[in-house]
Amino acid sequence: MKNWLFLGAAIVAEVVATSSLKASVGFTRFWPSVIVVIGYAVAFYFLALTLKAIPVGIAYAIWAGLGIVLITLIGWLVFGQKLDPAGLLGMGLIVAGVVVINLFSKGNVH
C-alpha cells in the first residue's frame, strides 16, 4: 500500500512542478523556478521508491497518464487554456488505458 502512496506523491509533485514550470516563464521568475526544481526532485525520488515494488511499465503509465490529465485540467482551470472535444476524448482514452493496465495487466502488483 505504501508504494501506491509513493506513486501518488510522485504524481502530485510532478503536477506541481509542471504547473510551476508554466508559471516560471522560462525560468525568469525565481520562486516558481525553485518550485520546479524541488518538485521534480521530489517526484523522481518518490517514483524511485515506487519502482522497488511496482513494475516500471505500470508505474510509469499511471504516473504519466494521470499527470497528463491533471496538468490539462490545471491548464484549463488556472491558465485558461481551452479544451476541445478531441482533447477531452484523448484524455478519456488515457484514463481508460490506465484503468485497463491496472485491471488486466499480468505485470501489475497490488
Side-chain angles (χ1 to χ4, degrees), residues 7-18:
L7 182 56
I11 292 167
V12 168
E14 187 268 334
V15 168
V16 168
T18 302

Side-chain angles (χ1 to χ4, degrees), residues 19 22-23 70-84:
S19 299
K22 169 75 171 157
L70 292 172
I71 286 298
T72 302
L73 291 174
I74 288 171
W76 176 59
L77 293 169
V78 176
F79 298 112
Q81 297 172 347
K82 303 294 182 215
L83 290 176
D84 60 12

Side-chain angles (χ1 to χ4, degrees), residues 47-82:
L47 184 61
L49 293 179
T50 300
L51 296 179
K52 290 181 177 180
I54 299 173
V56 67
I58 301 298
Y60 193 77
I62 294 168
W63 185 48
L66 291 180
I68 289 168
V69 170
L70 292 172
I71 286 298
T72 302
L73 291 174
I74 288 171
W76 176 59
L77 293 169
V78 176
F79 298 112
Q81 297 172 347
K82 303 294 182 215

